[in-house]
Amino acid sequence: MKTNTLVLPMTAICAPTMPPTRGARPVLLCLLLAAVAADVRAAEPAPAAAREAATAKPVRLEGTRVDLESQLREAMKSGDPSKKRLNLLIDPKSSNAGMAPGSPAPVNPVDFRAQDAPPAPAVLGQRPREGGLVIRPQRAPAPAAREAHKDIHWSYEGEGGPDQWGRLKPDFAICASGQRQSPIHIEDNKTLKGPAEAIDFRYVPSRGTVTNNGHTIQVNVYGENTLTVRGNTYQLLQFHFHHPAEERINGQSYPMVGHFVHRNELGQLAMLAVLLEPGEENPLIQKVWTHMPLDVNDSVHLPPDLIDVGEILPKDQRYYQYMGSLTTPPCTEGVLWLILKQPVSISREQLRLFGQLYANNARPVQPHNGRPVRDAVLIGPGGRP
């Protein structure tokens, strides 16, 4: 049996060409729908009520036009009529309203199984029946997840927070699906302990630009500043800060960390992390804070040769090493992480100043997913200590 399906808004006027059904003339249907649309004025139900209605048994209504009109009004007393749709399923070819020959005339079933409709009242007594008609309120489709996030910029809280990064843009998908994400919680009893090569730092006084990029204070460095490890030399591009520190070591969190971003000739990244703890004033940070821009996307050019990254390196240069990712979108993986084990000092006043701009710009720790972490318990010949 083939049926026609019409989807009409609650406030629609019936077309005069609507195919007739046995015992139900088009004018009868028009009056019925118009009366329902005119009188339904109620707010959407609470989610709990919607779920209860969704699991209720279908409601069946029957009777004359007056009876159906009355029952439909009661059944539709919740929900926003401007957001509802009616599916009218009508069999124009059947002389018996879609029923097998000899079957009794069908009732007018009104099925309120949609999420935004409550159960209808009990069925009234038997009356002369009209042709088959199925009326179903239908909620408009919800917008796609990506549409909901299309205008949200990534951040560290709210709708654009870390747990939503992977949904904000296609380019950010690895933030949610990646298996080698950073930062991580490093525990000594789960590391690969042993000797390790020294990191060859070659930092020189350089010029730079300090920028407030809306997520942190970042210093772009210009000059021949490099580190060499694992047979590769990486050039320093920039460094920035996270408050509190993103890394966690043996259950301990630090109030701040500096991340120094390096890149080699193949475009591969190496990230040096320097943990910061309260103590004496840090000379390198003091130079940066002195020229700190206050407005987002504002930049300040630093005096020539002001930046010497070597000033922030600890004397003990043993480190943890693992493969991870950027800790901000797009969360690119394949980053070599070098986390110096000995923290360096930063004054409480320096911490307070940064915290006034960025109280929390740290991504939560990510799963290890079986990745090994190398623990350099001592440095090979030629390194410190």
Side-chain angles (χ1 to χ4, degrees):
M1 178 183 72
K2 180 178 179 182
T3 61
N4 294 334
T5 301
L6 304 178
V7 180
L8 301 176
M10 285 294 295
T11 55
I13 299 177
C14 301
T17 58
M18 179 180 292
T21 61
R22 180 183 175 187
R25 294 168 305 199
V27 63
L28 181 64
L29 180 59
C30 293
L31 290 173
L32 174 62
L33 296 180
V36 173
D39 290 353
V40 175
R41 298 290 187 271
E44 290 290 328
R51 289 193 297 269
E52 181 181 348
T55 58
K57 293 183 179 180
V59 176
R60 303 300 182 189
L61 305 180
E62 61 178 297
T64 64
R65 180 190 65 77
V66 175
D67 292 330
L68 290 173
E69 178 182 316
S70 175
Q71 292 176 73
L72 283 172
R73 283 177 176 169
E74 290 297 320
M76 294 294 288
K77 274 188 176 179
S78 59
D80 184 351
S82 66
K83 296 181 180 178
K84 293 181 178 298
R85 298 292 184 268
L86 291 179
N87 282 349
L88 307 184
L89 307 182
I90 302 172
D91 179 9
K93 296 182 179 180
S94 174
S95 60
N96 198 32
M99 301 296 292
S103 300
V107 298
N108 283 314
V110 182
D111 190 349
F112 292 105
R113 289 181 294 178
Q115 294 181 358
D116 55 352
V123 176
L124 297 181
Q126 295 291 329
R127 293 180 182 269
R129 297 180 175 183
E130 298 173 343
L133 175 65
V134 178
I135 303 176
R136 301 186 181 196
Q138 181 176 341
R139 185 186 293 271
R146 201 169 303 286
E147 284 293 316
H149 291 281
K150 66 179 181 179
D151 296 325
I152 300 175
H153 188 68
W154 73 269
S155 63
Y156 289 97
E157 59 183 9
E159 292 182 298
D163 59 339
Q164 299 296 323
W165 288 353
R167 303 180 185 180
L168 299 181
K169 291 183 179 180
D171 293 344
F172 296 174
I174 199 171
C175 295
S177 63
Q179 298 298 301
R180 299 162 75 86
Q181 290 290 293
S182 297
I184 61 173
H185 180 196
I186 297 176
E187 299 175 272
D188 283 347
N189 61 355
K190 298 180 181 179
T191 59
L192 302 176
K193 293 180 171 60
E197 62 178 313
I199 303 174
D200 184 11
F201 295 106
R202 298 194 179 186
Y203 294 143
V204 297
S206 305
R207 63 187 181 89
T209 301
V210 57
T211 301
N212 182 343
N213 64 16
H215 301 289
T216 187
I217 297 299
Q218 176 176 308
V219 180
N220 298 322
V221 182
Y222 314 106
E224 293 302 318
N225 297 277
T226 65
L227 67 76
T228 300
V229 68
R230 292 171 28 130
N232 277 283
T233 297
Y234 300 82
Q235 182 170 357
L236 177 64
L237 304 178
Q238 52 101 337
F239 62 93
H240 58 270
F241 302 91
H242 294 276
H243 175 272
E246 296 184 308
E247 297 77 9
R248 189 178 304 161
I249 311 296
N250 296 319
Q252 180 178 355
S253 298
Y254 292 84
M256 199 165 177
V257 67
H259 285 169
F260 296 77
V261 185
H262 301 71
R263 183 176 61 199
N264 66 11
E265 293 179 350
L266 299 177
Q268 299 167 326
L269 297 178
M271 190 80 70
L272 177 73
V274 178
L275 300 167
L276 300 166
E277 63 181 3
E280 297 181 359
E281 182 180 278
N282 188 287
L284 178 64
I285 292 176
Q286 188 65 18
K287 294 174 183 178
V288 175
W289 273 207
T290 299
H291 299 85
M292 180 188 291
L294 299 180
D295 292 334
V296 174
N297 296 324
D298 185 21
S299 296
V300 176
H301 294 286
L302 300 175
D305 299 335
L306 180 70
I307 298 299
D308 185 355
V309 175
E311 292 179 330
I312 204 172
L313 297 179
K315 293 181 178 180
D316 183 348
Q317 294 178 359
R318 290 178 292 178
Y319 58 93
Y320 299 103
Q321 179 186 102
Y322 77 98
M323 296 302 298
S325 73
L326 298 179
T327 65
T328 59
C331 308
T332 306
E333 295 187 337
V335 177
L336 173 65
W337 276 87
L338 306 164
I339 303 172
L340 296 178
K341 299 170 77 170
Q342 182 182 18
V344 298
S345 67
I346 181 173
S347 72
R348 296 191 180 279
E349 182 62 23
Q350 289 174 325
L351 278 171
R352 184 193 63 80
L353 180 59
F354 186 87
Q356 286 180 303
L357 288 178
Y358 296 105
N360 180 7
N361 66 337
R363 186 188 192 189
V365 294
Q366 303 296 303
H368 278 242
N369 292 320
R371 282 175 287 173
V373 177
R374 187 186 186 101
D375 182 355
V377 296
L378 59 92
I379 297 296
R384 293 186 299 174

